Amino acid sequence: MIETILVFLPLVGSIIAGVMVFASIGADKHRKHTLDLASQVVTCSMLVISAILAFVIFFDVGLNGNARTTELFTWIASGSFELSWALKVDTLTSVMMIVVCTVSAMVHIYSVGYMHHDPSVPRFMCYLSLFTFMMLMLITADNLVQMFFGWEGVGLASYLLIGFWYKRPSANAAAIKAFVVNRVGDFGFALGIFATFVLFDTIHLDTIFDAVPGQKDAILNVFGTDFHAMTIICLLLFVGAMGKSAQLGLHTWLPDAMEGPTPVSALIHAATMVTAGVFMVARLSPMFEYSQTALDVVTIVGASTAIFAATIGCVQNDIKRVIAYSTCSQLGYMFFACGVSAYSAGIFHLMTHGFFKALLFLGAGSVIHAMSDEQDMRKMGGIWKMIPVTYALMWIGSLALAGVPPFAGFFSKDIVLEAAYAAHSGVGQYAFAMGILAALLTAFYSWRLLFMTFHGTSRADEKTLAHVHESPKVMIIPLLVLALGAVGAGYIPYTLFVGEGMENFWGEAILMLPHHQALENAHHVPALVKYSPLIVGAIGIGTAWFLYIKRPDIPPKIAERFQGVYQFLLNKWYFDELYDKIFVRPAFMIGRGLWKGGDGALIDGCGPDGISNAVRVMARRVSALQTGYLYHYAFAMLIGIAALVSWYMFTQGS
Amino acid sequence: MLDLPLLTILTFAPLVGVLAILIIRHDDAEVVAQNARNVALFVSSGVFLLSLLLWFTFDRTTADFQWVEKVAWMEDFGISYHMGVDGISVLFVMLTTLLTPICVLASWNSIKDRVKEYMICFLILETFMIGMFCALDLFLFYIFFEAVLIPMFIIIGIWGGARRVYAAFKLFLYTLLGSVLMLVAMLTMYYYAGTTDMLELMAYNFPIEAQKWMWLAFFASFAVKVPMWPVHTWLPDAHVEAPTAGSVILAGVLLKFGGYGFLRFSLPMMPEASLYFTPLMYTLSIIAVIYTSLVALAQEDMKKLIAYSSIAHMGFVTIGTFTLTTQGIEGAIYQMLSHGVVSAALFLVVGVVYDRIHTREIAAYGGLVNRMPAYALTFMVFAMASVGLPGTGGFVGEVLVLVGAFKANTWVAAFAATGVILGAAYTLYLYRRIIFGELTKENLMKITDMNRREMAIFAPLLFITIWMGVYPSSFLDFMHVSVEHLINQVNTSLAQSGMLELAGR
């Protein structure tokens, strides 16, 4: 019951706000203001209630172990393809609920201040709440298709919010890109669902999980080849996760998604939606556990993304894009944690990351707000005294991100890296190495961001500088709440999530086979491994300090010296250009070719148009025979008779 | 069940409306037009309300035909007037009765010439369409199936756009070619079985060699109607030239004739041949999905784009039908129903701006959301349904078809699923070019949002689209038993001829 309320409150809020969108058309200024305010109050209060309920559920389900599923009503039933709208709540869901509802509630409140000047406030609140509802449907799914519903639903909300400022062509393009690239991932997800159904004859999660051990050696023929069933299923599903969580290859939409308003970036493109892929792998751990190949792929993709995105993050100049690439990179950490079967460590990092990354984004939003919508860090600098609270909060976020104790990121990132090391496998070592390297870069770009934004001499113009001001309370308070999370979300639940109490806590929500000992071993790794993230973090911060505070003349020289590498990173490894060349342009070209050539010239040309042309030409020729001269006709008749007679003679004669 | 010849009433009630319109006489042409509109709306709404009886009284637990009427007609030839609906056809009847009043409403202001004749055409069209879905006699079926062409031909040819004559003839020629062949096949059936009763024909086992020829002949007709690649090129032209309501009926109901025909004739009457030709169906359908999706991407005309997307969506239908799985066939029927609603709505969406600006050129629009928020929302919902977003009707059909396809052949499922990606691309690209952006074009500055009449047209379609997405059981419940029966019928017959092992399921 309580989870039903929690899930549907945001939907109710969204609908009410949606009605207000239309109510405020043509309203006068005063009335419009009232409606704006009403939509904010309604959606925010719904979300705050949901967030409180999330904690209630967490205590009930997570701590007291009352996992349960509430079936609402049948959704699709066709033969054995049967599923219901249902709300499944277990420990994993309840943890996700806390992250989703808390961050969402804070973002809702923050938006009251941030979107203050925007002419379409109710629409924004409507979309935000819609998103939250869809996300909740995703995490409470008890079958794969409802998960897919939430999955595409958050995609829709993300599309609408990225394109929120619909007058900007760049925002529209980014919105379409996000939707379509996600669809590529969903293509894999969908095929994975179908394969699951073919193998298990059900898509109900619990039933599948019970049946997996019996099918662990099953063979499934897909695309004319026999595959190990669990491997191909998990790999197909993982393609979906890669799309949603912006992993290497399908990541291109995430940086562009920064076209949306900053609260959106914080909520959807950092804390919640993009982590859906990680959630999926953890949720389906009873399936992934039975395919070592799939787990290895998850590890490799995660580790590669972690380092890849971090390298790009080091040279970007847009404050939001730096954080976006950082998100991409951190998602890689979560994936390789799952890949070495340390699912709970992945979810742990997901949670702490949710808090500190939302904090960083909203902090960046606060900076952008203060700088009159400037996002380019090259035009910032030296403003820390003017916005001290934001400055302090950004420090907290960065410390948590870089994994400095006692901030939240320290605990989660450490356990992730230790687990990778302790997996004692080739891919585990690769993940560990990439993770450490990425940690170095993370510390570097985080402080590069801090120094470029807040320190040094200001590069902004007079007018902007004169306007720099601290954000209003309604924006600062949510930041403080998130900062609380960024500080406390690591130490407090550590034992519960990944420590000794872990088996009790997760219960049946996560499965780890006995021979997957990475998380257990993680607590007994050599000291060097334990401290290495700290050491590289210190080096990264030191380097950033040296390059951007002590000797700010050096970075341009490095860029000059290594022009090739610099351009390569600045242009994001040329992924966009590549995809444009091999997918986007050809698709349009082929489309045009098939239209004009295939439909027009070939089918119509040989078909209806061709035939009617031929008939017309024939008719003209025939009519040309009709000359009107009597002797022509007489001659034709004569020939005809002659032909007839000779035909008769030949056939009868022989 | 009431003792009422309900199907006959539904079928021929529109003709009563035609008579009523014919006797309208007045000196003022405007009065005549207004009366014709009123009569058409009144009659078609009445038919819709009456058809709700089907919804409430239909027995969902039997595969038998219901509301059956059978009267001897031409006894010497064994031809009878035989009507009835089962779980496969009943919802198509309702789709028809729903869309006709909507079409009348949609033509309220946009048709100004020969209103009387226009309304007569639509009512006659309704008679033929309902008759087609109810007919259980070969002869009767053929009459309705072909007769539909006449009013459609007239609607496009008279009230169409600039190249209406070309489009009308193209439609006519394509369809005619198929019909001739189908007629031959029907005669062959009669020759073998000695009856034109479709129920008896379904039970009759035709020799396999004959089946193949008959199947191809039927295929020629149905493939044009669906339309399947490569006999699809009449559709974009027909849509582009047709008046809005013509497109609505064309996309909403007429395209379903082909899919319905495959389910009613090809599968049950020619099961061995259907199995034999399944690879052909898969291939053509996949080509249709990918080819037309790519072509849609390059379109510059709104209606053409939606027409091409229709072909792609119908590709899913033909795939699902021939998977011979419960999910595939139910998905195919569901896809037809949801496409009937969604594509009809999309053509109406185009009609709204066409009535205002009188161009279908995508480039002539842009930034409409600034002045038409309600329109933008409506368009968004239907665009998303067309894309197959879960929670809308489009999703259920697509996912069921793909599940069925994956069971039958994984390659088919994979190729068909790429259509889902492309579908998102061309639909959102279209939406962006029309709705988003700055409002800069001079003639759009004063454009007005939808009026009450237009909202009344869209409200039921919006409601049904979401309903179909959230609680599809209301609709699927109609089909289960009939589809199960159909599959059993096909499998039994395949087992008898020893082809079941070949099918591998």
Side-chain angles (χ1 to χ4, degrees):
Chain A
M1 189 59 206
I2 182 167
E3 56 265 31
T4 316
I5 298 175
L6 179 147
V7 170
F8 285 96
L9 274 182
L11 179 66
V12 173
S14 171
I15 292 172
I16 296 176
V19 170
M20 286 171 186
V21 173
F22 286 96
S24 67
I25 294 169
D28 58 36
K29 208 174 169 192
H30 180 68
R31 197 173 132 76
K32 194 171 163 351
H33 184 72
T34 319
L35 283 166
D36 283 3
L37 195 67
S39 70
Q40 287 162 341
V41 170
V42 170
T43 50
C44 289
S45 43
M46 298 283 179
L47 254 300
V48 170
I49 297 172
S50 278
I52 295 168
L53 291 180
F55 279 92
V56 175
I57 289 182
F58 178 75
F59 284 110
D60 187 24
V61 175
L63 299 183
N64 293 335
N66 283 328
R68 58 187 176 241
T69 303
T70 318
E71 284 210 6
L72 301 175
F73 54 88
T74 308
W75 185 14
I76 304 176
S78 170
S80 51
F81 194 79
E82 261 186 306
L83 50 128
S84 295
W85 294 106
L87 304 175
K88 175 187 167 80
V89 188
D90 60 4
T91 308
L92 182 59
T93 307
S94 68
V95 171
M96 288 301 288
M97 274 178 168
I98 289 196
V99 178
V100 172
C101 292
T102 319
V103 176
S104 181
M106 291 312 122
V107 168
H108 270 78
I109 296 171
Y110 178 91
S111 303
V112 173
Y114 192 84
M115 300 301 281
H116 184 64
H117 298 295
D118 201 275
S120 25
V121 171
R123 187 163 61 92
F124 187 73
M125 303 314 277
C126 167
Y127 290 170
L128 273 190
S129 288
L130 177 71
F131 166 78
T132 314
F133 166 70
M134 290 295 184
M135 191 69 204
L136 290 170
M137 286 305 276
L138 195 166
I139 59 174
T140 54
D142 88 324
N143 62 68
L144 288 170
V145 177
Q146 187 184 329
M147 197 190 274
F148 193 72
F149 166 79
W151 197 267
E152 291 246 304
V154 290
L156 167 70
S158 158
Y159 163 80
L160 291 171
L161 282 165
I162 295 170
F164 181 76
W165 286 315
Y166 50 72
K167 290 184 183 177
R168 291 186 191 168
S170 56
N172 293 327
I176 294 186
K177 187 171 174 186
F179 198 92
V180 174
V181 173
N182 267 298
R183 270 269 157 139
V184 176
D186 293 354
F187 167 80
F189 191 176
L191 290 182
I193 295 176
F194 305 149
T196 313
F197 176 68
V198 168
L199 187 66
F200 296 102
D201 204 35
T202 176
I203 43 161
H204 190 254
L205 288 177
D206 293 334
T207 323
I208 296 172
F209 296 163
D210 289 342
V212 172
Q215 297 279 9
K216 64 178 177 188
D217 298 318
I219 301 292
L220 192 67
N221 188 298
V222 183
F223 308 139
T225 321
D226 283 332
F227 286 100
H228 177 229
M230 290 321 295
T231 301
I232 187 73
I233 288 176
C234 290
L235 286 179
L236 284 171
L237 292 170
F238 181 60
V239 173
M242 284 175 66
K244 193 70 39 191
S245 295
Q247 292 299 287
L248 192 57
L250 293 178
H251 66 280
T252 53
W253 64 273
L254 184 60
D256 287 25
M258 298 302 131
E259 286 289 341
T262 307
V264 173
S265 312
L267 176 61
I268 301 184
H269 306 120
T272 55
M273 182 183 87
V274 290
T275 62
V278 182
F279 167 77
M280 180 223 256
V281 175
R283 168 59 88 213
L284 302 181
S285 58
M287 298 169 78
F288 277 84
E289 276 296 279
Y290 285 94
S291 169
Q292 193 56 48
T293 318
L295 285 176
D296 290 349
V297 170
V298 173
T299 314
I300 293 170
V301 169
S304 308
T305 309
I307 185 71
F308 154 79
T311 57
I312 299 178
C314 291
V315 298
Q316 296 298 312
N317 291 317
D318 183 314
I319 184 168
K320 282 179 73 181
R321 286 197 180 230
V322 175
I323 311 179
Y325 278 106
S326 155
T327 305
C328 211
S329 163
Q330 296 300 312
L331 289 166
Y333 277 90
M334 299 172 208
F335 272 115
F336 74 66
C338 293
V340 296
S341 291
Y343 304 97
S344 49
I347 294 295
F348 186 30
H349 194 53
L350 185 161
M351 182 177 77
T352 58
H353 174 260
F355 289 117
F356 64 69
K357 192 51 70 71
L359 173 64
L360 277 173
F361 258 121
L362 293 183
S366 184
V367 172
I368 295 167
H369 199 67
M371 298 293 290
S372 315
D373 294 329
E374 182 56 65
Q375 301 195 8
D376 193 335
M377 295 192 296
R378 285 170 298 188
K379 294 182 185 152
M380 296 179 183
I383 51 171
W384 69 274
K385 273 187 185 154
M386 294 178 238
I387 43 174
V389 183
T390 305
Y391 175 62
L393 289 167
M394 287 293 276
W395 260 89
I396 295 178
S398 298
L399 286 168
L401 172 62
V404 175
F407 296 93
F410 164 73
F411 296 95
S412 57
K413 191 186 261 185
D414 258 23
I415 190 75
V416 165
L417 286 168
E418 285 160 15
Y421 179 84
H424 299 305
S425 62
V427 289
Q429 296 308 314
Y430 171 71
F432 177 72
M434 292 303 127
I436 290 291
L437 218 59
L440 172 74
L441 297 178
T442 305
F444 172 74
Y445 65 64
S446 299
W447 265 265
R448 172 174 174 265
L449 184 152
L450 279 180
F451 294 142
M452 278 181 84
T453 308
F454 293 104
H455 293 267
T457 48
S458 180
R459 299 170 293 276
D461 55 47
E462 290 292 319
K463 201 164 152 246
T464 316
L465 271 183
H467 265 104
V468 174
H469 56 284
E470 190 60 272
S471 298
K473 277 207 187 89
V474 70
M475 287 168 72
I476 293 296
I477 290 170
L479 286 180
L480 291 173
V481 174
L482 290 171
L484 217 61
V487 177
Y491 175 70
I492 300 169
Y494 185 82
T495 341
L496 217 49
F497 273 53
V498 291
E500 277 151 23
M502 134 181 126
E503 265 142 43
N504 250 331
F505 176 68
W506 293 104
E508 295 194 343
I510 284 176
L511 177 80
M512 275 188 274
L513 288 183
H515 65 272
H516 285 149
Q517 285 292 333
L519 196 53
E520 185 52 43
N521 295 341
H523 298 290
H524 316 288
V525 291
L528 185 64
V529 173
K530 213 159 180 52
Y531 294 117
S532 52
L534 270 181
I535 299 166
V536 294
I539 298 174
I541 297 172
T543 317
W545 174 81
F546 181 73
L547 290 179
Y548 290 92
I549 296 288
K550 187 87 174 137
R551 297 285 304 275
D553 55 312
I554 294 183
K557 282 183 195 152
I558 299 178
E560 190 106 348
R561 184 80 206 283
F562 301 99
Q563 192 64 22
V565 180
Y566 178 69
Q567 286 300 331
F568 184 67
L569 292 181
L570 192 66
N571 287 299
K572 307 156 279 188
W573 291 36
Y574 294 103
F575 264 98
D576 282 326
E577 287 75 5
L578 187 71
Y579 285 173
D580 195 53
K581 265 220 173 69
I582 60 176
F583 294 121
V584 183
R585 276 168 203 283
F588 277 92
M589 245 167 59
I590 295 170
R592 198 168 301 276
L594 289 177
W595 176 31
K596 300 283 187 198
D599 268 20
L602 210 61
I603 296 176
D604 278 354
C606 299
D609 293 357
I611 292 171
S612 73
N613 248 337
V615 171
R616 201 174 307 140
V617 170
M618 284 270 272
R620 198 175 303 130
R621 294 227 176 112
V622 172
S623 67
L625 290 177
Q626 298 170 339
T627 54
Y629 294 109
L630 194 63
Y631 62 89
H632 278 179
Y633 296 135
F635 184 62
M637 262 168 76
L638 209 65
I639 292 178
I641 290 169
L644 204 66
V645 169
S646 22
W647 177 75
Y648 181 77
M649 276 165 60
F650 275 110
T651 50
Q652 295 299 309
S654 56
Chain B
M1 206 182 279
L2 299 161
D3 198 19
L4 198 74
L6 180 61
L7 298 179
T8 300
I9 299 178
L10 285 177
T11 307
F12 294 102
L15 291 187
V16 178
V18 171
L19 283 180
I21 294 179
L22 278 175
I23 56 172
I24 298 173
R25 288 273 186 279
H26 198 278
D27 295 337
D28 187 353
E30 190 42 46
V31 176
V32 175
Q34 196 50 43
N35 282 330
R37 287 184 193 115
N38 289 337
V39 171
L41 182 62
F42 178 76
V43 172
S44 55
S45 312
V47 171
F48 171 66
L49 290 179
L50 202 59
S51 71
L52 287 179
L53 263 182
L54 284 178
W55 178 273
F56 292 112
T57 62
F58 190 86
D59 183 358
R60 278 102 159 143
T61 58
T62 170
D64 291 339
F65 281 87
Q66 304 181 26
W67 291 99
V68 176
E69 298 161 36
K70 191 169 182 182
V71 184
W73 188 10
M74 289 179 242
E75 278 177 88
D76 296 345
F77 302 99
I79 297 172
S80 57
Y81 175 80
H82 192 179
M83 304 275 267
V85 285
D86 70 347
I88 295 174
S89 55
V90 60
L91 290 175
F92 289 110
V93 174
M94 303 212 51
L95 179 68
T96 311
T97 58
L98 169 76
L99 287 181
T100 309
I102 286 179
C103 282
V104 172
L105 263 182
S107 318
W108 210 254
N109 294 334
S110 54
I111 300 294
K112 295 197 173 66
D113 300 328
R114 301 170 196 263
V115 177
K116 202 169 138 182
E117 289 80 356
Y118 181 86
M119 293 300 167
I120 290 176
C121 273
F122 264 90
L123 290 177
I124 294 182
L125 191 59
E126 183 173 24
T127 289
F128 293 156
M129 291 188 296
I130 298 176
M132 203 287 298
F133 287 121
C134 297
L136 288 182
D137 185 278
L138 212 51
F139 186 70
L140 198 59
F141 175 87
Y142 186 74
I143 294 177
F144 285 130
F145 189 88
E146 295 307 329
V148 163
L149 257 189
I150 301 166
M152 201 65 224
F153 177 77
I154 296 173
I155 288 170
I156 296 178
I158 294 183
W159 292 277
R163 293 173 75 228
R164 56 181 182 266
V165 178
Y166 171 76
F169 271 98
K170 205 168 175 182
L171 159 81
F172 202 83
L173 285 177
Y174 260 112
T175 336
L176 199 68
L177 183 76
S179 313
V180 174
L181 293 171
M182 184 169 80
L183 184 63
V184 175
M186 286 180 161
L187 290 174
T188 319
M189 279 187 159
Y190 178 66
Y191 169 76
Y192 274 109
T195 175
T196 57
D197 191 278
M198 283 161 60
L199 297 186
E200 288 172 41
L201 288 171
M202 285 182 202
Y204 190 88
N205 285 329
F206 294 97
I208 296 184
E209 274 316 305
Q211 270 192 31
K212 286 184 187 164
W213 288 108
M214 279 158 33
W215 191 94
L216 282 174
F218 274 105
F219 169 76
S221 181
F222 297 151
V224 169
K225 277 267 165 39
V226 167
M228 294 179 73
W229 187 87
V231 286
H232 65 277
T233 59
W234 63 271
L235 187 74
D237 282 312
H239 269 309
V240 165
E241 299 308 327
T244 301
S247 290
V248 170
I249 283 293
L250 192 58
V253 185
L254 255 58
L255 295 196
K256 277 71 204 177
F257 280 28
Y260 176 73
F262 282 124
L263 287 166
R264 195 52 98 217
F265 288 86
S266 306
L267 287 190
M269 297 183 196
M270 296 156 268
E272 283 88 358
S274 295
L275 188 63
Y276 180 80
F277 285 112
T278 297
L280 173 76
M281 291 301 288
Y282 284 161
T283 313
L284 292 184
S285 308
I286 288 172
I287 295 179
V289 169
I290 297 175
Y291 179 109
T292 51
S293 297
L294 285 169
V295 173
L297 209 49
Q299 293 307 306
E300 289 140 13
D301 179 308
M302 288 193 245
K303 269 188 145 181
K304 243 185 182 158
L305 196 153
I306 298 168
Y308 275 109
S309 85
S310 278
I311 305 172
H313 284 127
M314 292 306 287
F316 279 89
V317 172
T318 43
I319 289 174
T321 306
F322 282 81
T323 59
L324 284 181
T325 56
T326 313
Q327 290 84 25
I329 294 181
E330 289 188 1
I333 301 174
Y334 207 88
Q335 171 84 347
M336 281 198 266
L337 293 171
S338 79
H339 178 260
V341 174
V342 173
S343 70
L346 281 174
F347 280 113
L348 287 167
V349 161
V350 174
V352 169
V353 287
Y354 184 78
D355 285 349
R356 288 163 172 69
I357 310 293
H358 301 291
T359 174
R360 294 176 313 261
E361 192 83 18
I362 295 171
Y365 296 92
L368 290 187
V369 65
N370 295 295
R371 285 194 58 87
M372 307 176 75
Y375 178 72
L377 175 68
T378 311
F379 195 172
M380 172 58 76
V381 174
F382 291 120
M384 282 300 155
S386 176
V387 164
L389 193 83
T392 64
F395 172 71
V396 180
E398 247 170 39
V399 84
L400 286 177
V401 165
L402 289 174
V403 167
F406 198 90
K407 265 184 173 175
N409 184 329
T410 44
W411 280 111
V412 174
F415 279 121
T418 54
V420 178
I421 303 175
L422 292 170
Y426 65 68
T427 311
L428 296 182
Y429 186 48
L430 167 75
Y431 188 83
R432 170 195 168 180
R433 284 180 289 170
I434 293 175
I435 300 293
F436 288 148
E438 293 265 18
L439 193 67
T440 49
K441 305 209 168 58
E442 209 43 59
N443 56 345
L444 298 180
M445 291 298 182
K446 290 229 165 69
I447 198 164
T448 50
D449 207 346
M450 296 197 294
N451 58 32
R452 287 226 180 108
R453 178 182 60 84
E454 286 162 335
M455 288 191 188
I457 293 174
F458 285 112
L461 297 177
L462 273 172
F463 175 72
I464 294 173
T465 303
I466 303 294
W467 179 13
M468 288 186 84
V470 176
Y471 193 66
S473 297
S474 319
F475 306 89
L476 286 169
D477 282 348
F478 279 91
M479 306 167 197
H480 292 319
V481 190
S482 292
V483 169
E484 212 53 58
H485 175 72
L486 173 65
I487 292 176
N488 286 338
Q489 205 177 351
V490 173
N491 281 343
T492 316
S493 154
L494 289 180
Q496 275 166 9
S497 59
M499 282 179 79
L500 201 61
E501 292 75 31
L502 213 132
R505 59 181 91 86

